[in-house]
Amino acid sequence: MLTALELIGIAVFAASGALAAVRARLDVFGVIVLALTTALGGGLTRDVLLGVHPPTALVTWPYLAVAGGTGLVVFWYHPTVAKLRRSVLLLDAIGLGLFVTAGTTTALLLGTPEYTACLIGVVTGIGGGVLRDVLLREIPLVLRQEIYAVAALGGALVVVLGHVAGLPAGPVSILASALIAGVRLLALWRRWNAPTAPKLDG
Amino acid sequence: MLTALELIGIAVFAASGALAAVRARLDVFGVIVLALTTALGGGLTRDVLLGVHPPTALVTWPYLAVAGGTGLVVFWYHPTVAKLRRSVLLLDAIGLGLFVTAGTTTALLLGTPEYTACLIGVVTGIGGGVLRDVLLREIPLVLRQEIYAVAALGGALVVVLGHVAGLPAGPVSILASALIAGVRLLALWRRWNAPTAPKLDG
Amino acid sequence: MLTALELIGIAVFAASGALAAVRARLDVFGVIVLALTTALGGGLTRDVLLGVHPPTALVTWPYLAVAGGTGLVVFWYHPTVAKLRRSVLLLDAIGLGLFVTAGTTTALLLGTPEYTACLIGVVTGIGGGVLRDVLLREIPLVLRQEIYAVAALGGALVVVLGHVAGLPAGPVSILASALIAGVRLLALWRRWNAPTAPKLDG
């Protein structure tokens, strides 16, 4: 079941990358490259930080097929997909939840300290989107708006606390993923934003 | 011979990075840093993904000397080099062929699955140019135009098929490199471009 | 003492990242993320290149606490910090010195060749600032202005020469750090810049 959910997360992130690439007028290959980068970038970064060589994403062909195939589908059908913007935001929030949870769990299983696992989980969740935005010359969305990073960190904390308390991993993962997705969607729905600094004089 | 060809590839990519840096009005140190990054970035990325520590490019001083020296030469003589723009594009295509082939071969020798080796070969070939463009705040050229990524992937496939079929590595490498360079140059010459998506309504 | 100096370097780089984020109108979480990235990015890059898994910065909680806490302090008190711009530049130069020296020393201790250690030291010193600027869509400052990279490389050379000559590491480190900071500050003070190429005709 976790694998199925992971593949959904990959498809969702791939769709967000592909849509952003279509908006930037990239050609079909650019769209596929950006779909792959957005969907797999977070996991690649996690594996490079943890020393997993070669990274899981590069040796698991279903991940590649789902990410690339999603990019192609978005390229051909993007007007429809664009109209589904709300669905994409919903799925994107679910993808964030799944990726943060999976990244934190992977780091814990490899024996990293708890706070390190939290950080690596957050990096896994946000890494793909950061790469997408940097390649398209945007300031990464996660830096600019909404309670994105905090939702991710909160969910990673739930995974770690469950691990420390010896709770079963399955239900804790589902709870953490739902928490991240829920907070993220609430922030979008209610237009929650964190404070920005008052205007700079200098 | 392969080493000689690799050094040519490094020089060519270093020249493309240095020229881009000169156009962005960087000072002499910026030009050299960008020459090094463009020439060695693809190989660095490959080695980080494969777990080769420290990366080959950082422990092979001729690579560093050729890349840095080329950057310096371009800085001093760039009006001439700029007039040689066609030659640079020619050499750049050859460099792409050599880097993709070398990257794919390195990955196969380390025992990665065939499709993983293809991806790592492509990353080796395009990584340096992506870093160059990101540092100069451009959307990477490989995402925007031309049959660049497809030529790279096709050449990597040839290397892998030759490996699976047990053909001798030398001739296959030369064939793959020539194929990549040839397709890339044809695309430039005929102004082939991949389709972009029709205009987005939303 | 070295640890205390390292923590000072981390705080200083975190402050520079946080101030840049405040100027880009990021929210409080964006400011903290950028403080962490700027302060820890150079060390992360060094550890990824050297194969230190997981990277030191992610398993040393005081580093994280100092970097994140500095980001928070800058966010709340930034008008004051902005008025302290000279102090920040002073501390930034000291941070560069400490990071280059620490990075070069780490690479030498892991047995890399001397010139590799120099390069890794320079990457450690400049990596955080490059990430900061790329995330904020700036051409990295180190590429555009001032004798930044050269000061870093010169200091790394001093560390390596001291190592080869068998001199005691402590005084050599202090000398190298002071040299880097001094050259950097002199360049700022005297507005030294490296030559840029004459205007391009093409």
Side-chain angles (χ1 to χ4, degrees):
Chain A
M1 196 193 78
L2 189 64
T3 302
L5 292 177
E6 274 185 333
L7 288 173
I8 294 172
I10 285 173
V12 166
F13 275 128
S16 87
L19 270 180
V22 166
R23 288 204 178 101
R25 313 290 310 140
L26 300 191
D27 68 28
V28 61
F29 305 121
V31 169
I32 291 173
V33 169
L34 214 61
L36 289 167
T37 307
T38 309
L40 309 178
L44 282 175
T45 309
R46 177 198 62 206
D47 289 350
V48 165
L49 291 176
L50 290 173
V52 178
H53 302 296
T56 313
L58 295 186
V59 291
T60 312
W61 67 262
Y63 290 5
L64 294 162
V66 166
T70 303
L72 205 57
V73 167
V74 167
F75 179 79
W76 289 115
Y77 298 108
H78 71 93
T80 313
V81 176
K83 281 176 192 155
L84 296 173
R85 191 167 174 273
R86 283 188 185 209
S87 313
V88 170
L89 285 176
L90 169 64
L91 291 171
D92 179 83
I94 296 169
L96 180 70
L98 292 166
F99 272 39
V100 169
T101 303
T104 309
T105 304
T106 302
L108 286 172
L109 291 177
L110 288 173
T112 61
E114 282 79 10
Y115 62 92
T116 307
C118 281
L119 285 168
I120 285 175
V122 171
V123 167
T124 307
I126 69 178
V130 169
L131 287 177
R132 174 195 64 208
D133 294 343
V134 166
L135 288 176
L136 295 176
R137 273 192 319 181
E138 306 277 342
I139 293 181
L141 197 65
V142 61
L143 290 181
R144 280 188 291 138
Q145 289 188 340
E146 295 139 12
I147 316 292
Y148 205 97
V150 169
L153 188 58
L157 277 172
V158 169
V159 174
V160 164
L161 291 175
H163 178 80
V164 170
L167 298 176
V172 168
S173 293
I174 292 169
L175 176 67
S177 299
L179 178 75
I180 295 168
V183 170
R184 165 80 177 132
L185 290 171
L186 265 176
L188 279 172
W189 179 46
R190 304 295 301 263
R191 297 183 188 278
W192 283 345
N193 277 310
T196 55
K199 195 155 172 294
L200 197 68
D201 294 330
Chain B
M1 195 193 80
L2 189 64
T3 302
L5 292 177
E6 276 185 332
L7 288 173
I8 294 170
I10 286 173
V12 165
F13 275 129
S16 87
L19 270 180
V22 166
R23 288 204 178 101
R25 315 291 309 141
L26 300 190
D27 67 28
V28 62
F29 305 120
V31 169
I32 290 172
V33 169
L34 215 62
L36 288 167
T37 307
T38 309
L40 308 178
L44 281 174
T45 309
R46 178 197 62 205
D47 289 350
V48 165
L49 292 176
L50 290 174
V52 178
H53 302 295
T56 313
L58 296 185
V59 292
T60 312
W61 66 262
Y63 289 5
L64 294 162
V66 166
T70 304
L72 205 57
V73 167
V74 167
F75 180 79
W76 289 116
Y77 297 108
H78 72 91
T80 313
V81 175
K83 280 176 193 154
L84 296 173
R85 192 167 173 274
R86 283 188 185 211
S87 313
V88 170
L89 284 175
L90 170 64
L91 291 171
D92 179 82
I94 296 169
L96 180 69
L98 293 167
F99 272 39
V100 170
T101 304
T104 309
T105 304
T106 302
L108 286 172
L109 291 178
L110 288 173
T112 61
E114 281 80 9
Y115 62 92
T116 308
C118 281
L119 285 168
I120 286 175
V122 171
V123 166
T124 308
I126 70 178
V130 169
L131 287 178
R132 173 196 64 207
D133 294 343
V134 166
L135 288 177
L136 294 177
R137 274 192 319 180
E138 306 277 342
I139 293 181
L141 197 64
V142 61
L143 291 181
R144 280 189 292 137
Q145 290 187 339
E146 293 141 14
I147 316 292
Y148 205 97
V150 169
L153 188 58
L157 277 172
V158 169
V159 173
V160 163
L161 291 175
H163 178 80
V164 170
L167 299 177
V172 169
S173 293
I174 291 169
L175 175 68
S177 299
L179 177 76
I180 296 168
V183 171
R184 165 80 177 134
L185 290 172
L186 264 176
L188 278 173
W189 178 46
R190 303 296 300 262
R191 297 183 188 278
W192 283 346
N193 278 309
T196 55
K199 196 156 171 294
L200 196 67
D201 294 329
Chain C
M1 194 193 81
L2 189 64
T3 303
L5 292 177
E6 275 184 332
L7 287 173
I8 295 172
I10 286 172
V12 165
F13 275 128
S16 87
L19 269 181
V22 166
R23 287 203 179 100
R25 314 291 309 141
L26 300 190
D27 67 27
V28 61
F29 305 120
V31 169
I32 291 172
V33 170
L34 215 62
L36 288 166
T37 307
T38 309
L40 309 178
L44 282 174
T45 309
R46 176 198 62 205
D47 289 350
V48 165
L49 292 176
L50 290 174
V52 178
H53 302 296
T56 313
L58 296 185
V59 292
T60 312
W61 67 261
Y63 289 5
L64 294 162
V66 165
T70 303
L72 206 57
V73 167
V74 167
F75 179 78
W76 289 116
Y77 297 108
H78 70 91
T80 313
V81 175
K83 281 177 192 153
L84 296 173
R85 192 167 174 273
R86 284 190 183 208
S87 312
V88 170
L89 285 175
L90 169 64
L91 291 171
D92 180 82
I94 296 170
L96 180 69
L98 293 166
F99 273 39
V100 170
T101 303
T104 309
T105 304
T106 302
L108 286 172
L109 291 177
L110 287 172
T112 61
E114 281 79 9
Y115 63 91
T116 307
C118 280
L119 285 169
I120 285 175
V122 171
V123 166
T124 307
I126 70 177
V130 169
L131 287 176
R132 174 195 65 208
D133 293 344
V134 166
L135 288 176
L136 295 176
R137 275 192 317 181
E138 306 277 342
I139 294 182
L141 198 65
V142 61
L143 290 181
R144 281 189 292 137
Q145 291 188 339
E146 295 140 9
I147 315 292
Y148 205 96
V150 169
L153 188 58
L157 277 172
V158 169
V159 173
V160 164
L161 291 175
H163 178 79
V164 170
L167 299 177
V172 169
S173 293
I174 292 170
L175 176 67
S177 299
L179 178 75
I180 296 168
V183 170
R184 165 78 177 133
L185 290 171
L186 265 176
L188 279 172
W189 179 47
R190 304 296 299 263
R191 298 183 188 278
W192 283 346
N193 278 309
T196 56
K199 197 156 171 294
L200 198 67
D201 294 329

